[in-house]
């Protein structure tokens, strides 16, 4: 489908990450990919990021861990997953890795574990990239998120990059910082090939009738349409601060949303919470994007990128 119009090539130190279109499913909202096969053909997508993987299986947080909010949702899933080894052994061989770009999303609580994950996954056949979730607590820093401290963010990036082999390293930024460009530059200096932003915004919801928080862990991550303006701001600032490609994430649900992020400087986008509202939605987005680009006379994603008139 109109690959010349929608196709994007993200340059990185080892080559190009080639996407048939700029639409990627976001980690944690698309299972391991297989769960969405009944809803559409995965090869229609530019790629998908599998659920965040840790070294060992994780049960996640106690329930309730999801609640709806105005224009979005809050989650405190706690990164429940099957562990990297089981993913490599039992799931990866079943995924259509030659037809779409499969991205492994990883998280850990110290740089050594991040590096070990990168080593394990880069040796497994079929993956197109690693995405590093730095929105997790750095145990050595008393729980401050890696992504909130430029030195820790750069340290994790370097550790992953050393073990990533032939895979490009995408570092995923948190919006829960004062100045996202400071973290973005630190990650780029640490060797990141691509940056993705944003992860969820820290938030909470209260049930006034029961006088209880709506999530068992009280605080969770806000996602969905409500965060789109924050995500656009972060992408715009990040794209101007670094020379590596940026992938935009946050509240994207329509072809017009995608064009807004590309105008702000994104090379590609990820679709997250929209997958929960309508699991087949993402599969119609490439066609809708191509039609809208035709209607508006936009030749290609590359010609539009970063052309916001300010
Ligand atoms: C239920 C849920 C689970 C998520 N799990 C992960 C994860 O494992 N790793 C990660 O990097 N981001 C995770 N995210 C963040 C999303 O990938 C995305 O960055 C965020 O939701 C913003 O995009 P959206 O507004 O389109 O959902 C999760 C989000 C949700 C809603």
């Amino acid at each position: 489908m109109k690959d010349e119009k929608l196709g994007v090539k993200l340059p990185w130190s080892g080559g190009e990450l080639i996407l048939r279109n700029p639409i990627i499913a976001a980690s944690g909202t698309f299972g391991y990919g297989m769960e969405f096969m009944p809803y559409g053909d995965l090869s229609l997508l530019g790629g998908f990021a599998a659920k965040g993987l840790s070294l060992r299986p994780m049960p996640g947080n106690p329930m309730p861990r999801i609640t709806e909010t105005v224009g979005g949702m809050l989650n405190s899933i706690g990164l429940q997953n099957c562990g990297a080894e089981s993913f490599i052994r039992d799931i990866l061989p079943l995924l259509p890795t030659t037809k779409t770009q499969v991205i492994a999303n990883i998280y850990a609580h110290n740089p050594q574990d991040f590096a070990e994950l990168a080593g394990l996954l880069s040796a497994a056949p079929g993956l197109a990239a690693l995405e590093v979730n730095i929105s997790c607590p750095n145990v050595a820093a008393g729980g401050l998120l890696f992504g909130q401290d430029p030195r820790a963010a750069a340290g994790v990036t370097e550790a992953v990059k050393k073990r990533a082999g032939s895979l490009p390293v995408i570092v995923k930024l948190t919006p829960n910082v004062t100045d996202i460009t400071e973290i973005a530059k630190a990650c780029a200096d640490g060797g990141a090939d691509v940056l993705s932003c944003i992860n969820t915004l820290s938030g909470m919801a209260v049930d006034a009738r029961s006088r209880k928080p709506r999530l068992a862990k009280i605080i969770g991550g806000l996602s969905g349409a409500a965060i789109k303006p924050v995500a656009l701001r972060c992408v715009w600032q990040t794209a101007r601060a670094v020379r590596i490609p940026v992938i935009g994430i946050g509240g994207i649900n329509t072809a017009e949303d995608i064009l807004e992020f590309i105008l702000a400087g994104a090379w590609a986008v990820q679709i997250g919470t929209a997958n929960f509202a309508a699991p087949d939605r993402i599969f119609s987005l490439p066609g809708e994007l191509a039609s809208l680009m035709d209607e508006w006379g936009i030749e290609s994603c590359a010609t539009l990128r970063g052309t916001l008139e300010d």
Side-chain angles (χ1 to χ4, degrees), residues 201-225:
L201 278 154
S202 185
M204 63 185 272
V206 168
D207 180 349
R209 286 180 193 276
S210 66
R211 304 188 182 189
K212 288 195 167 133
R214 290 190 187 271
L215 295 177
K217 291 283 283 184
I218 305 177
I219 292 177
L222 181 66
S223 62

Side-chain angles (χ1 to χ4, degrees), residues 111 138 145-147 149-157:
N138 176 0
L145 306 189
F146 286 102
D149 170 11
R151 276 212 289 177
V156 166
T157 307

Side-chain angles (χ1 to χ4, degrees), residues 26-28 52 75 79 105 133 172 198-200 223-224 227 249-251 272-273:
S27 180
N75 91 85
L79 300 165
N105 178 286
N133 178 2
K172 183 165 175 179
I198 56 177
N199 211 316
T200 54
S223 62
I227 73 168
I249 322 167
T273 299

